[in-house]
Amino acid sequence: MRSLPILLAGLMLSLQAMAQPAPDTALSARIERVVAQAIAEKRLVGAVVLVSRGGKLIHHQAAGFADREAGRPMQEDAIFRFASVTKPIVSAAAMKLVEEGKLRLDDPVTRFLPDFRPALPDRTQPTITVRQLLTHTSGLSYRFFEPSGSAYHTLNVSDGMDQPGLSLKENLRRLGQAPLGFAPGTKWSYSLGIDVLGGVLEVASGESLPAVVQRLVTRPLGMKDTGFAVADSTRLAVPYADGRPAPVKITDDMAVPFGTGSVLFTPSRVLDPASFPSGGAGMVGTAGDLLRFLEAIRTGGAPILKRETVAAMMQDQVGVQAATQGPGWGFGYGWAVLDDPKAAATPQARGTLQWGGAYGHSWFVDPTNELIVVALTNTAFEGMAGPFVTQLRDAVYGTAR
């Protein structure tokens, strides 16, 4: 019989082997071409791309610049302003509080925030639930979706990426005065609901949002560089916006055109400890940390959530008609859910989870193919919604046209 030390040594070697990258050279070559082309064409300044299959890292790269003006190259441990990459992490913390019985999905928001009572245009004040905040069916909106001169603009509602030093209480006061776009539960509209949820989590847990997210999500997963404050400012990537002939550096209070409106960015916000922790847009972190989180979700939630909780989060809660990432996409708790790959014209399998972040990020989890793709860039909006996102996806699946 083999001795215990030999058995332990064998186990350690097996664990180490699992942790080692298992490169896919053909896939890496395709991805590297896409990234190199985006940088050469000055659509991206810098990027970190990680791809895992079955829990093994099969591609990892850093390319371009973290700070173009200073000539600082991008590194794989670069820290990025997450923007909406924050949402799934905060949503996971909310679902953990549901597991603990401190929160229920059908609780009215007023149970925790009694003064938050936005009204419909006819001045009736409907009940908004935690579930509706999580699924963006509350009737709330974002300022950057609203036309100039609308209530979100006149009330100076923050989208969570501007106005350093603003408190959550004040922003919720402003938001609560803006009329709801529709009766809660009747439609889907991407919104500040997760910022409101952040306030709910603080009351439900008795902790600050940064503390509860750290306790329930980032610390158990070893996401040491991810939080509402920058762990190492020397690794913080400088943000850029789409521009011709090259992306332009984003400066404070810069409005970057998006759709029919514009998104207001204030990059220094994340360095101001007085800024409220935006549950929808306020975190920073690394690609590696995000991959850890998404792998936990892909494999059933341990050590942060129960398998049945994650299963509910991965189910479409709003219906394919919401078209949350275009045709074929619904929404779960924290991310879009792919219902119809044919309608979406994507090689991703049904049940794929996907979202992004306004500073230039995209990610997806394809459970059927055991794939996770994380692409954090420092260029808005090419890295979130430009051709790069589709080109990268098709390079991963080998379906590039």
Side-chain angles (χ1 to χ4, degrees), residues 33-57:
R33 282 195 294 269
V34 166
V35 174
Q37 183 179 6
I39 291 173
E41 293 176 354
K42 297 184 178 179
R43 291 183 285 122
L44 292 181
V45 175
V48 176
V49 179
L50 305 178
V51 181
S52 71
R53 183 188 292 128
K56 291 194 179 289
L57 192 63

PDB file of all heavy atoms in Angstrom, residues 33-57:
ATOM      1  N   ARG A  33      -4.676  37.824 -33.278  1.00  0.00           N
ATOM      2  CA  ARG A  33      -4.875  38.586 -34.517  1.00  0.00           C
ATOM      3  C   ARG A  33      -5.958  39.644 -34.331  1.00  0.00           C
ATOM      4  O   ARG A  33      -5.814  40.786 -34.785  1.00  0.00           O
ATOM      5  CB  ARG A  33      -5.247  37.650 -35.663  1.00  0.00           C
ATOM      6  CG  ARG A  33      -4.072  36.892 -36.258  1.00  0.00           C
ATOM      7  CD  ARG A  33      -4.426  36.272 -37.602  1.00  0.00           C
ATOM      8  NE  ARG A  33      -5.436  35.238 -37.483  1.00  0.00           N
ATOM      9  CZ  ARG A  33      -5.167  33.950 -37.294  1.00  0.00           C
ATOM     10  NH1 ARG A  33      -3.915  33.536 -37.168  1.00  0.00           N
ATOM     11  NH2 ARG A  33      -6.153  33.063 -37.208  1.00  0.00           N
ATOM     12  N   VAL A  34      -7.046  39.259 -33.679  1.00  0.00           N
ATOM     13  CA  VAL A  34      -8.147  40.203 -33.451  1.00  0.00           C
ATOM     14  C   VAL A  34      -7.690  41.367 -32.569  1.00  0.00           C
ATOM     15  O   VAL A  34      -7.970  42.539 -32.863  1.00  0.00           O
ATOM     16  CB  VAL A  34      -9.353  39.477 -32.816  1.00  0.00           C
ATOM     17  CG1 VAL A  34     -10.371  40.475 -32.264  1.00  0.00           C
ATOM     18  CG2 VAL A  34     -10.007  38.556 -33.831  1.00  0.00           C
ATOM     19  N   VAL A  35      -6.992  41.053 -31.491  1.00  0.00           N
ATOM     20  CA  VAL A  35      -6.522  42.095 -30.577  1.00  0.00           C
ATOM     21  C   VAL A  35      -5.512  42.994 -31.273  1.00  0.00           C
ATOM     22  O   VAL A  35      -5.584  44.230 -31.183  1.00  0.00           O
ATOM     23  CB  VAL A  35      -5.910  41.471 -29.300  1.00  0.00           C
ATOM     24  CG1 VAL A  35      -5.293  42.552 -28.419  1.00  0.00           C
ATOM     25  CG2 VAL A  35      -6.976  40.695 -28.517  1.00  0.00           C
ATOM     26  N   ALA A  36      -4.567  42.401 -31.961  1.00  0.00           N
ATOM     27  CA  ALA A  36      -3.537  43.183 -32.656  1.00  0.00           C
ATOM     28  C   ALA A  36      -4.152  44.108 -33.697  1.00  0.00           C
ATOM     29  O   ALA A  36      -3.738  45.265 -33.847  1.00  0.00           O
ATOM     30  CB  ALA A  36      -2.521  42.250 -33.301  1.00  0.00           C
ATOM     31  N   GLN A  37      -5.164  43.603 -34.413  1.00  0.00           N
ATOM     32  CA  GLN A  37      -5.817  44.430 -35.426  1.00  0.00           C
ATOM     33  C   GLN A  37      -6.546  45.612 -34.796  1.00  0.00           C
ATOM     34  O   GLN A  37      -6.468  46.739 -35.300  1.00  0.00           O
ATOM     35  CB  GLN A  37      -6.801  43.589 -36.238  1.00  0.00           C
ATOM     36  CG  GLN A  37      -7.472  44.363 -37.371  1.00  0.00           C
ATOM     37  CD  GLN A  37      -8.428  43.498 -38.181  1.00  0.00           C
ATOM     38  OE1 GLN A  37      -8.676  42.347 -37.841  1.00  0.00           O
ATOM     39  NE2 GLN A  37      -8.969  44.044 -39.246  1.00  0.00           N
ATOM     40  N   ALA A  38      -7.244  45.359 -33.677  1.00  0.00           N
ATOM     41  CA  ALA A  38      -7.973  46.444 -33.005  1.00  0.00           C
ATOM     42  C   ALA A  38      -7.019  47.523 -32.505  1.00  0.00           C
ATOM     43  O   ALA A  38      -7.338  48.721 -32.561  1.00  0.00           O
ATOM     44  CB  ALA A  38      -8.790  45.887 -31.844  1.00  0.00           C
ATOM     45  N   ILE A  39      -5.858  47.111 -32.028  1.00  0.00           N
ATOM     46  CA  ILE A  39      -4.870  48.091 -31.547  1.00  0.00           C
ATOM     47  C   ILE A  39      -4.222  48.806 -32.728  1.00  0.00           C
ATOM     48  O   ILE A  39      -4.046  50.035 -32.709  1.00  0.00           O
ATOM     49  CB  ILE A  39      -3.835  47.396 -30.655  1.00  0.00           C
ATOM     50  CG1 ILE A  39      -4.502  46.947 -29.340  1.00  0.00           C
ATOM     51  CG2 ILE A  39      -2.657  48.327 -30.353  1.00  0.00           C
ATOM     52  CD1 ILE A  39      -3.626  46.104 -28.448  1.00  0.00           C
ATOM     53  N   ALA A  40      -3.869  48.058 -33.780  1.00  0.00           N
ATOM     54  CA  ALA A  40      -3.231  48.666 -34.948  1.00  0.00           C
ATOM     55  C   ALA A  40      -4.157  49.675 -35.630  1.00  0.00           C
ATOM     56  O   ALA A  40      -3.698  50.718 -36.123  1.00  0.00           O
ATOM     57  CB  ALA A  40      -2.826  47.577 -35.936  1.00  0.00           C
ATOM     58  N   GLU A  41      -5.453  49.366 -35.641  1.00  0.00           N
ATOM     59  CA  GLU A  41      -6.427  50.273 -36.252  1.00  0.00           C
ATOM     60  C   GLU A  41      -6.857  51.387 -35.305  1.00  0.00           C
ATOM     61  O   GLU A  41      -7.730  52.183 -35.634  1.00  0.00           O
ATOM     62  CB  GLU A  41      -7.652  49.476 -36.704  1.00  0.00           C
ATOM     63  CG  GLU A  41      -7.347  48.515 -37.845  1.00  0.00           C
ATOM     64  CD  GLU A  41      -8.540  47.655 -38.227  1.00  0.00           C
ATOM     65  OE1 GLU A  41      -9.583  47.716 -37.527  1.00  0.00           O
ATOM     66  OE2 GLU A  41      -8.428  46.914 -39.220  1.00  0.00           O
ATOM     67  N   LYS A  42      -6.250  51.425 -34.126  1.00  0.00           N
ATOM     68  CA  LYS A  42      -6.508  52.451 -33.110  1.00  0.00           C
ATOM     69  C   LYS A  42      -7.973  52.485 -32.693  1.00  0.00           C
ATOM     70  O   LYS A  42      -8.563  53.527 -32.454  1.00  0.00           O
ATOM     71  CB  LYS A  42      -6.034  53.823 -33.604  1.00  0.00           C
ATOM     72  CG  LYS A  42      -4.531  53.854 -33.845  1.00  0.00           C
ATOM     73  CD  LYS A  42      -4.028  55.230 -34.244  1.00  0.00           C
ATOM     74  CE  LYS A  42      -2.505  55.202 -34.428  1.00  0.00           C
ATOM     75  NZ  LYS A  42      -1.970  56.514 -34.834  1.00  0.00           N
ATOM     76  N   ARG A  43      -8.532  51.274 -32.584  1.00  0.00           N
ATOM     77  CA  ARG A  43      -9.864  51.131 -31.985  1.00  0.00           C
ATOM     78  C   ARG A  43      -9.752  50.851 -30.496  1.00  0.00           C
ATOM     79  O   ARG A  43     -10.658  51.170 -29.729  1.00  0.00           O
ATOM     80  CB  ARG A  43     -10.638  50.010 -32.681  1.00  0.00           C
ATOM     81  CG  ARG A  43     -11.038  50.347 -34.108  1.00  0.00           C
ATOM     82  CD  ARG A  43     -11.864  49.248 -34.753  1.00  0.00           C
ATOM     83  NE  ARG A  43     -11.074  48.095 -35.133  1.00  0.00           N
ATOM     84  CZ  ARG A  43     -11.285  46.853 -34.692  1.00  0.00           C
ATOM     85  NH1 ARG A  43     -12.244  46.606 -33.811  1.00  0.00           N
ATOM     86  NH2 ARG A  43     -10.543  45.848 -35.116  1.00  0.00           N
ATOM     87  N   LEU A  44      -8.664  50.213 -30.093  1.00  0.00           N
ATOM     88  CA  LEU A  44      -8.367  49.957 -28.689  1.00  0.00           C
ATOM     89  C   LEU A  44      -6.995  50.529 -28.357  1.00  0.00           C
ATOM     90  O   LEU A  44      -6.092  50.520 -29.194  1.00  0.00           O
ATOM     91  CB  LEU A  44      -8.349  48.454 -28.390  1.00  0.00           C
ATOM     92  CG  LEU A  44      -9.646  47.667 -28.464  1.00  0.00           C
ATOM     93  CD1 LEU A  44      -9.377  46.199 -28.106  1.00  0.00           C
ATOM     94  CD2 LEU A  44     -10.718  48.245 -27.548  1.00  0.00           C
ATOM     95  N   VAL A  45      -6.847  50.958 -27.099  1.00  0.00           N
ATOM     96  CA  VAL A  45      -5.529  51.375 -26.600  1.00  0.00           C
ATOM     97  C   VAL A  45      -4.838  50.191 -25.935  1.00  0.00           C
ATOM     98  O   VAL A  45      -3.660  49.936 -26.164  1.00  0.00           O
ATOM     99  CB  VAL A  45      -5.648  52.562 -25.630  1.00  0.00           C
ATOM    100  CG1 VAL A  45      -4.285  52.912 -25.031  1.00  0.00           C
ATOM    101  CG2 VAL A  45      -6.227  53.779 -26.353  1.00  0.00           C
ATOM    102  N   GLY A  46      -5.565  49.471 -25.092  1.00  0.00           N
ATOM    103  CA  GLY A  46      -4.990  48.319 -24.402  1.00  0.00           C
ATOM    104  C   GLY A  46      -6.060  47.334 -24.003  1.00  0.00           C
ATOM    105  O   GLY A  46      -7.243  47.685 -23.928  1.00  0.00           O
ATOM    106  N   ALA A  47      -5.641  46.095 -23.756  1.00  0.00           N
ATOM    107  CA  ALA A  47      -6.616  45.058 -23.398  1.00  0.00           C
ATOM    108  C   ALA A  47      -5.943  43.918 -22.654  1.00  0.00           C
ATOM    109  O   ALA A  47      -4.759  43.633 -22.861  1.00  0.00           O
ATOM    110  CB  ALA A  47      -7.293  44.506 -24.652  1.00  0.00           C
ATOM    111  N   VAL A  48      -6.733  43.272 -21.784  1.00  0.00           N
ATOM    112  CA  VAL A  48      -6.358  42.000 -21.167  1.00  0.00           C
ATOM    113  C   VAL A  48      -7.454  41.017 -21.529  1.00  0.00           C
ATOM    114  O   VAL A  48      -8.640  41.286 -21.293  1.00  0.00           O
ATOM    115  CB  VAL A  48      -6.227  42.112 -19.637  1.00  0.00           C
ATOM    116  CG1 VAL A  48      -5.929  40.731 -19.028  1.00  0.00           C
ATOM    117  CG2 VAL A  48      -5.139  43.106 -19.253  1.00  0.00           C
ATOM    118  N   VAL A  49      -7.072  39.897 -22.124  1.00  0.00           N
ATOM    119  CA  VAL A  49      -8.034  38.883 -22.560  1.00  0.00           C
ATOM    120  C   VAL A  49      -7.665  37.549 -21.926  1.00  0.00           C
ATOM    121  O   VAL A  49      -6.527  37.091 -22.033  1.00  0.00           O
ATOM    122  CB  VAL A  49      -8.053  38.738 -24.098  1.00  0.00           C
ATOM    123  CG1 VAL A  49      -9.051  37.657 -24.514  1.00  0.00           C
ATOM    124  CG2 VAL A  49      -8.406  40.062 -24.759  1.00  0.00           C
ATOM    125  N   LEU A  50      -8.634  36.936 -21.249  1.00  0.00           N
ATOM    126  CA  LEU A  50      -8.470  35.621 -20.640  1.00  0.00           C
ATOM    127  C   LEU A  50      -9.572  34.707 -21.151  1.00  0.00           C
ATOM    128  O   LEU A  50     -10.736  35.116 -21.239  1.00  0.00           O
ATOM    129  CB  LEU A  50      -8.557  35.701 -19.112  1.00  0.00           C
ATOM    130  CG  LEU A  50      -7.622  36.666 -18.383  1.00  0.00           C
ATOM    131  CD1 LEU A  50      -7.903  36.609 -16.884  1.00  0.00           C
ATOM    132  CD2 LEU A  50      -6.172  36.353 -18.676  1.00  0.00           C
ATOM    133  N   VAL A  51      -9.206  33.472 -21.468  1.00  0.00           N
ATOM    134  CA  VAL A  51     -10.189  32.482 -21.898  1.00  0.00           C
ATOM    135  C   VAL A  51      -9.922  31.189 -21.146  1.00  0.00           C
ATOM    136  O   VAL A  51      -8.780  30.713 -21.090  1.00  0.00           O
ATOM    137  CB  VAL A  51     -10.103  32.204 -23.421  1.00  0.00           C
ATOM    138  CG1 VAL A  51     -11.157  31.181 -23.839  1.00  0.00           C
ATOM    139  CG2 VAL A  51     -10.263  33.497 -24.223  1.00  0.00           C
ATOM    140  N   SER A  52     -10.974  30.632 -20.548  1.00  0.00           N
ATOM    141  CA  SER A  52     -10.834  29.330 -19.888  1.00  0.00           C
ATOM    142  C   SER A  52     -11.834  28.355 -20.479  1.00  0.00           C
ATOM    143  O   SER A  52     -12.913  28.744 -20.932  1.00  0.00           O
ATOM    144  CB  SER A  52     -11.035  29.455 -18.375  1.00  0.00           C
ATOM    145  OG  SER A  52     -12.393  29.704 -18.065  1.00  0.00           O
ATOM    146  N   ARG A  53     -11.437  27.083 -20.478  1.00  0.00           N
ATOM    147  CA  ARG A  53     -12.335  26.013 -20.924  1.00  0.00           C
ATOM    148  C   ARG A  53     -12.247  24.882 -19.899  1.00  0.00           C
ATOM    149  O   ARG A  53     -11.158  24.409 -19.585  1.00  0.00           O
ATOM    150  CB  ARG A  53     -11.932  25.491 -22.302  1.00  0.00           C
ATOM    151  CG  ARG A  53     -12.889  24.406 -22.834  1.00  0.00           C
ATOM    152  CD  ARG A  53     -12.372  23.752 -24.103  1.00  0.00           C
ATOM    153  NE  ARG A  53     -12.357  24.670 -25.234  1.00  0.00           N
ATOM    154  CZ  ARG A  53     -11.289  24.882 -26.001  1.00  0.00           C
ATOM    155  NH1 ARG A  53     -10.139  24.280 -25.729  1.00  0.00           N
ATOM    156  NH2 ARG A  53     -11.367  25.704 -27.023  1.00  0.00           N
ATOM    157  N   GLY A  54     -13.381  24.530 -19.356  1.00  0.00           N
ATOM    158  CA  GLY A  54     -13.412  23.465 -18.364  1.00  0.00           C
ATOM    159  C   GLY A  54     -12.575  23.778 -17.138  1.00  0.00           C
ATOM    160  O   GLY A  54     -12.038  22.878 -16.494  1.00  0.00           O
ATOM    161  N   GLY A  55     -12.458  25.055 -16.803  1.00  0.00           N
ATOM    162  CA  GLY A  55     -11.699  25.458 -15.623  1.00  0.00           C
ATOM    163  C   GLY A  55     -10.214  25.633 -15.860  1.00  0.00           C
ATOM    164  O   GLY A  55      -9.484  25.987 -14.938  1.00  0.00           O
ATOM    165  N   LYS A  56      -9.751  25.396 -17.086  1.00  0.00           N
ATOM    166  CA  LYS A  56      -8.338  25.565 -17.393  1.00  0.00           C
ATOM    167  C   LYS A  56      -8.143  26.799 -18.270  1.00  0.00           C
ATOM    168  O   LYS A  56      -8.890  27.011 -19.234  1.00  0.00           O
ATOM    169  CB  LYS A  56      -7.777  24.335 -18.105  1.00  0.00           C
ATOM    170  CG  LYS A  56      -7.693  23.105 -17.197  1.00  0.00           C
ATOM    171  CD  LYS A  56      -6.839  22.034 -17.828  1.00  0.00           C
ATOM    172  CE  LYS A  56      -6.721  20.809 -16.904  1.00  0.00           C
ATOM    173  NZ  LYS A  56      -5.889  21.085 -15.722  1.00  0.00           N
ATOM    174  N   LEU A  57      -7.125  27.578 -17.936  1.00  0.00           N
ATOM    175  CA  LEU A  57      -6.822  28.777 -18.699  1.00  0.00           C
ATOM    176  C   LEU A  57      -6.177  28.374 -20.020  1.00  0.00           C
ATOM    177  O   LEU A  57      -5.082  27.816 -20.043  1.00  0.00           O
ATOM    178  CB  LEU A  57      -5.874  29.667 -17.887  1.00  0.00           C
ATOM    179  CG  LEU A  57      -5.647  31.093 -18.375  1.00  0.00           C
ATOM    180  CD1 LEU A  57      -6.939  31.899 -18.339  1.00  0.00           C
ATOM    181  CD2 LEU A  57      -4.580  31.770 -17.523  1.00  0.00           C
TER     182      LEU A  57
END
